[in-house]
Amino acid sequence: MKGRMENELGTISIDMDVIATYAGSVAVECFGIVGMAAVSMKDGLVKLLKRDSLKHGINVSLSDDNKISLDFHVIVAYGVSISAVAENLISNVKYRVEEFTGMELERLNIYVEGVRAID
């Protein structure tokens, strides 16, 4: 599924992987986010994703009226306020993804999968 927008010259289609990659790069720039997480369904282990595979920690879906929903699976830094990190993540991602895509962000869910000390 792709996000679609119409203008006077034609149609613009945005692939879900593009949105996920961009949202992931915005997320790891936020204070308190160590990185994106991948959860193994087989054994329940959480793995910190490398910078080149950020999109695997994000689920993107589109509603029928072309609004974006994002699910973030993140690892936060030890000792920070999770609610402050979440609020910062929400405001940054909402603003930057809407500016990048031209589409409205309807829902953003954050799943904190782990805590890690920053070296």
Side-chain angles (χ1 to χ4, degrees), residues 7-38:
N7 66 17
E8 64 276 358
L9 297 175
T11 303
I12 302 168
S13 295
I14 304 172
D15 192 84
M16 298 297 190
D17 283 349
V18 172
I19 296 170
T21 301
Y22 184 75
S25 67
V26 169
V28 295
E29 292 174 4
C30 292
F31 171 77
I33 299 291
V34 174
M36 305 307 293

Side-chain angles (χ1 to χ4, degrees), residues 35-112:
M36 305 307 293
V39 181
S40 170
M41 294 299 170
K42 185 172 79 174
D43 50 17
L45 293 176
V46 175
K47 180 172 94 172
L48 180 64
L49 295 170
K50 293 185 173 118
R51 206 123 166 86
D52 57 346
S53 57
L54 295 174
K55 68 181 178 185
H56 298 297
I58 301 172
N59 297 325
V60 181
S61 58
L62 284 175
S63 64
D64 292 335
D65 53 350
N66 214 34
K67 293 182 181 176
I68 304 170
S69 293
L70 298 172
D71 293 336
F72 280 84
H73 297 271
V74 297
I75 296 175
V76 297
Y78 179 80
V80 298
S81 166
I82 291 175
S83 63
V85 170
E87 287 176 23
N88 184 30
L89 178 65
I90 290 167
S91 65
N92 284 341
V93 169
K94 179 174 175 36
Y95 174 75
R96 296 202 32 209
V97 168
E98 286 181 348
E99 287 295 310
F100 178 68
T101 62
M103 299 164 62
E104 185 180 339
L105 186 64
E106 180 177 47
R107 182 177 208 86
L108 198 150
N109 298 311
I110 300 171
Y111 300 95
V112 178

